[in-house]
């Protein structure tokens, strides 16, 4: 594992951001044993800022202490995943409502570009799957990244710092876990993935129409469906 070295400015805050990102991205997987000194060495700082960062991560329940000197990246139970997914869905609905009210032409054009890129990748993916060819990780990740960026663009258009921070706190699944589940479902031909993919265009249409009620409803239903699948797939 390679973590970026930190500068001297706000080391505890930088350590927190770097470690949190590593957990979310899956570079520090769930259940992995970690130590202050090991993390400090990887980040190129003393143990003190890492200790402060780990305290913050413990408060967010992303890290748990298993003994006086031992820690590990927390795991997330199916019940906790389901509850976090319900909260996240409500917040994503609010983000879509705000975006319907605030999105600029540039925001909407960027969302369309992202869905166009995802559509192109989806066509190739379907052709390969129909022909019996195994899906490659790159194929799945290309669609996954475009869709994630689409949702990120909605949050950007919502333009609400408190909402963005709260969403970041409640998201229980790391990027790697979500990608693993998406790949498993696509390879298995899960119809829920195909149905949910089409919902992105419906959400964008509601945003273009400035229909905040519909945008919120569509985004919430979409996110709840995704959370339900994630909570039920323990590959």
């Amino acid at each position: 594992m390679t973590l970026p070295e930190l500068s001297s400015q706000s080391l505890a805050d930088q350590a927190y951001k770097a470690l949190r990102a590593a957990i979310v991205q899956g570079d520090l997987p769930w259940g992995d044993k970690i130590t202050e000194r090991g993390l400090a060495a990887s980040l190129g700082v003393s143990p003190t800022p890492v200790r402060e960062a780990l305290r913050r991560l413990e408060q967010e329940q992303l890290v748990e202490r298993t003994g006086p000197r031992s820690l590990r990246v927390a795991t997330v139970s199916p019940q906790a995943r389901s509850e976090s997914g319900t909260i996240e869905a409500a917040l994503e609905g609010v983000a879509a409502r705000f975006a319907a009210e605030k999105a600029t032409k540039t925001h909407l054009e960027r969302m369309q570009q992202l869905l166009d890129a995802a559509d192109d990748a989806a066509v190739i993916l379907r052709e390969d799957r129909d022909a019996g060819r195994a899906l490659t990780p790159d194929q799945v990740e290309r669609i996954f990244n475009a869709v994630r960026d689409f949702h990120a663009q909605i949050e950007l258009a919502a333009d609400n710092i408190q909402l963005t921070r709260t969403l970041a706190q409640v998201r229980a699944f790391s990027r790697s876990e979500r990608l693993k589940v998406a790949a498993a479902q696509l390879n298995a031909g899960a119809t829920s993935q195909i149905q949910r993919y089409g919902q992105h265009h419906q959400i964008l249409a509601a945003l273009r129409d400035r229909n905040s009620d519909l945008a919120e409803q569509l985004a919430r239903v979409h996110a709840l469906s995704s959370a339900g699948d994630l909570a039920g797939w323990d590959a």
Side-chain angles (χ1 to χ4, degrees), residues 21-140:
I23 293 171
V24 170
Q25 295 294 331
D27 297 327
L28 289 174
W30 291 354
D32 260 22
K33 294 180 180 179
I34 53 177
T35 64
E36 291 177 3
R37 290 191 177 280
L39 295 173
S42 295
L43 293 170
V45 297
S46 70
T48 300
V50 171
R51 188 176 305 121
E52 294 178 19
L54 288 173
R55 288 196 190 103
R56 292 176 64 180
L57 292 170
E58 279 189 81
Q59 291 174 351
E60 292 186 31
Q61 298 181 329
L62 293 177
V63 168
E64 55 192 15
R65 196 167 293 276
T66 57
R69 295 181 178 274
S70 58
L71 302 105
R72 69 182 176 194
V73 179
T75 57
V76 183
S77 70
Q79 179 179 354
R81 298 181 200 183
S82 178
E83 291 174 353
S84 293
T86 300
I87 297 170
E88 182 180 350
L91 292 172
E92 289 200 6
V94 173
R97 169 174 286 276
F98 289 170
E101 299 167 354
K102 301 179 184 178
T104 65
K105 181 180 179 181
T106 300
H107 288 139
L108 295 170
E109 288 176 349
R110 178 57 181 156
M111 291 178 204
Q112 185 64 63
Q113 290 169 1
L114 289 166
L115 290 187
D116 288 345
D119 287 344
D120 291 342
V123 169
I124 297 172
L125 185 148
R126 282 194 295 268
E127 290 175 350
D128 284 347
R129 188 174 59 193
D130 291 346
R133 292 187 290 269
L135 305 183
T136 67
D138 285 347
Q139 285 177 301
V140 177

Side-chain angles (χ1 to χ4, degrees), residues 188-221:
T191 57
S192 60
Q193 279 282 348
I194 299 171
Q195 292 171 349
R196 189 160 56 247
Y197 180 78
Q199 292 169 353
H200 295 106
H201 288 280
Q202 297 172 12
I203 293 170
L204 179 55
L207 296 178
R208 289 188 184 280
D209 291 342
R210 303 295 179 185
N211 190 331
S212 55
D213 288 339
L214 181 58
E216 179 174 5
Q217 178 186 359
L218 290 171
R220 185 189 291 254
V221 169

